[in-house]
Amino acid sequence: MPKTVIHVFHDDDDSLATGTRVAQRVQEVAAERGVVVEVFCFGPAQRRLSSTDGEGPVAVFNRQIDGLVASGVVVGACVNAARTEGTEEELTARGLRLTVARDEFVRFTLEQATVITF
């Protein structure tokens, strides 16, 4: 089945909000169009996953990530970065799939996924 991967890398407000919103919008029509949606957070954006900011764009980003997980979208992040930052347990508890980023990027290529980066 074709796959669209939303790769959220940048941590500016627009990239965080728009990247996760695009994933939500694609997920709305994915099943009827025969497409799988996946999200992968890495780099600066991954650090925002553990932010305790209760308001503003980072909070919106985290709510949208949690909503994607709740709707069944696979949301991944780098296990090595999570270990370095001490967030592995927290991110796993939120339902994120932690893997080695290098391996994920190779998998996306092998699956011939369309990767859109924000």
Side-chain angles (χ1 to χ4, degrees), residues 7 14 21 23 30-31 35 48 55 63 69 91 97 100 111 114:
H7 171 224
D14 292 330
R21 183 65 182 139
V35 176
R48 299 299 197 136
E55 297 181 23
R63 281 194 303 272
V69 170
L91 297 179
R97 182 174 72 186
V100 176
E111 293 177 353
T114 298

Side-chain angles (χ1 to χ4, degrees), residues 1-2 26 28-36:
M1 184 176 296
V26 172
E28 291 172 1
V29 297
E32 70 187 52
R33 307 250 175 114
V35 176
V36 173

Side-chain angles (χ1 to χ4, degrees), residues 70-84:
S71 70
V73 173
V74 172
V75 178
C78 178
V79 67
N80 293 325
R83 286 179 182 153
T84 298

Side-chain angles (χ1 to χ4, degrees), residues 2-24:
K3 179 179 286 187
T4 298
V5 176
I6 305 300
H7 171 224
V8 186
F9 180 82
H10 301 285
D11 70 345
D12 61 278
D13 294 347
D14 292 330
S15 294
L16 294 173
T18 304
T20 50
R21 183 65 182 139
V22 166
Q24 289 175 323

Side-chain angles (χ1 to χ4, degrees), residues 20-114:
T20 50
R21 183 65 182 139
V22 166
Q24 289 175 323
R25 296 288 291 156
V26 172
Q27 176 65 8
E28 291 172 1
V29 297
E32 70 187 52
R33 307 250 175 114
V35 176
V36 173
V37 177
E38 191 169 327
V39 175
F40 191 73
C41 299
F42 186 58
Q46 182 170 338
R47 286 190 292 276
R48 299 299 197 136
L49 287 170
S50 60
S51 175
T52 57
D53 179 9
E55 297 181 23
V58 174
V60 170
F61 169 65
N62 278 287
R63 281 194 303 272
Q64 289 180 169
I65 288 292
D66 291 339
L68 287 161
V69 170
S71 70
V73 173
V74 172
V75 178
C78 178
V79 67
N80 293 325
R83 286 179 182 153
T84 298
E85 297 163 9
T87 59
E88 184 176 9
E89 187 175 308
E90 174 191 349
L91 297 179
T92 300
R94 286 178 62 189
L96 278 77
R97 182 174 72 186
L98 300 179
T99 55
V100 176
R102 170 205 62 212
D103 296 344
E104 290 299 89
F105 292 122
V106 170
R107 180 175 64 83
F108 299 152
T109 300
L110 293 172
E111 293 177 353
Q112 299 180 351
T114 298

